[in-house]
Amino acid sequence: MLTNAWRSAELSMPRHADLGPVQRALAHLAGCVDLVGLTDNHMARARVSPLAALPECDRLGVGAVLHLSCRDRGQLALRQQVLGAAALGAEGVLVVRGDPGGAPLGPGCRPTEVLQLIPEWAAPHTLLRGAVVSPFADRGRQLRLVERKAAAGLDFVQTQMVFDLGRFDGFLRDLAQVLPPETAVFASVGILRSARNLDFVLRAIPDCPVPEGLARRIRDGDGVGVAAELAAEI
């Protein structure tokens, strides 16, 4: 069960078959977070399967949510990932469409369809079901998407990175109108350590506004301080 006390972090899987960086990162996170999200072919590049990190999460006592990208997979491959997550003790699955590019989604492979099928696929285990939402994209469209995903079955949603807290407040009020009250919301806080990181986010991630005052601090090297303040406010 998810509560408002849960702290989470996201961990990108490596592009080479070396779990050393994952093990070191998990060792740092153990004791600091309750839950780690393990990405799936992040940035549309082939990476180590997040399934490979689940035994280390279990050893360290860190809950894990497996990201599940629907792009470039058929329903058989998606089901296989869910079976592996359930068998290896994951807490849940975050179903994402996947980064742009790749083949069109096949029959039965849309996020809403996969969300609906996860309980059947994971049996006799139970996996929490999650979806993503972009608070600063077209709000009406985002709320309609979330409403359809909630009808398919949702335990939590994870947002795109949040820097503009004023606009985020308004989004949360609207989101509450379409989400069941027991659904958890994970607000993503990005740690941008340099001007280069900031420029990448502004260029590559649509609908992720950064207020000028915060952008200036990040460019001056205070990205960690910005992230800590945002996390405390959220």
Side-chain angles (χ1 to χ4, degrees):
M1 180 180 180
L2 295 171
T3 74
N4 60 6
W6 280 57
R7 302 158 298 169
S8 65
E10 187 170 286
L11 180 59
S12 291
M13 301 301 292
R15 295 177 64 187
H16 303 287
D18 177 9
L19 281 180
V22 174
Q23 293 165 339
R24 290 190 291 273
L26 288 171
H28 284 297
L29 290 170
C32 299
V33 301
D34 307 290
L35 199 67
V36 173
L38 302 168
T39 63
D40 184 25
N41 292 335
H42 182 55
M43 300 300 293
R45 295 173 177 172
R47 297 174 184 264
V48 172
S49 169
L51 291 170
L54 292 180
E56 187 69 4
C57 291
D58 183 62
R59 187 182 75 82
L60 293 169
V62 179
V65 165
L66 191 89
H67 291 201
L68 182 64
S69 175
C70 295
R71 59 159 283 175
D72 297 323
R73 282 194 176 108
Q75 195 179 93
L76 184 66
L78 291 167
R79 183 170 186 169
Q80 181 184 52
Q81 290 290 97
V82 171
L83 283 166
L88 290 170
E91 296 279 352
V93 175
L94 177 72
V95 181
V96 300
R97 184 181 183 89
D99 290 304
L105 299 183
C109 295
R110 297 184 180 279
T112 49
E113 296 169 315
V114 174
L115 285 166
Q116 197 164 19
L117 288 166
I118 285 173
E120 175 189 336
W121 291 351
H125 302 284
T126 300
L127 290 172
L128 298 168
R129 290 175 284 173
V132 293
V133 63
S134 182
F136 308 110
D138 180 270
R139 187 170 298 185
R141 181 174 183 275
Q142 290 297 309
L143 293 174
R144 289 192 295 273
L145 286 171
V146 169
E147 193 167 23
R148 288 202 294 271
K149 291 173 182 178
L154 272 183
D155 299 291
F156 67 97
V157 295
Q158 178 175 313
T159 76
Q160 180 58 275
M161 286 189 289
V162 174
F163 293 95
D164 190 329
L165 293 181
R167 289 176 62 185
F168 187 54
D169 280 344
F171 176 77
L172 285 178
R173 285 193 293 271
D174 290 342
L175 186 63
Q177 304 305 309
V178 299
L179 276 184
E182 65 273 14
T183 309
V185 178
F186 285 86
S188 296
V189 177
I191 304 175
L192 307 183
R193 297 179 181 275
S194 67
R196 181 181 178 184
N197 293 153
L198 174 64
D199 291 340
F200 174 80
V201 166
L202 295 176
R203 181 179 68 254
I205 302 179
D207 304 308
C208 185
V210 181
E212 183 54 38
L214 297 186
R216 187 164 50 249
R217 288 177 57 191
I218 293 169
R219 293 188 190 281
D220 289 340
D222 190 27
V224 174
V226 167
E229 291 174 16
L230 290 170
E233 290 259 358
I234 289 171

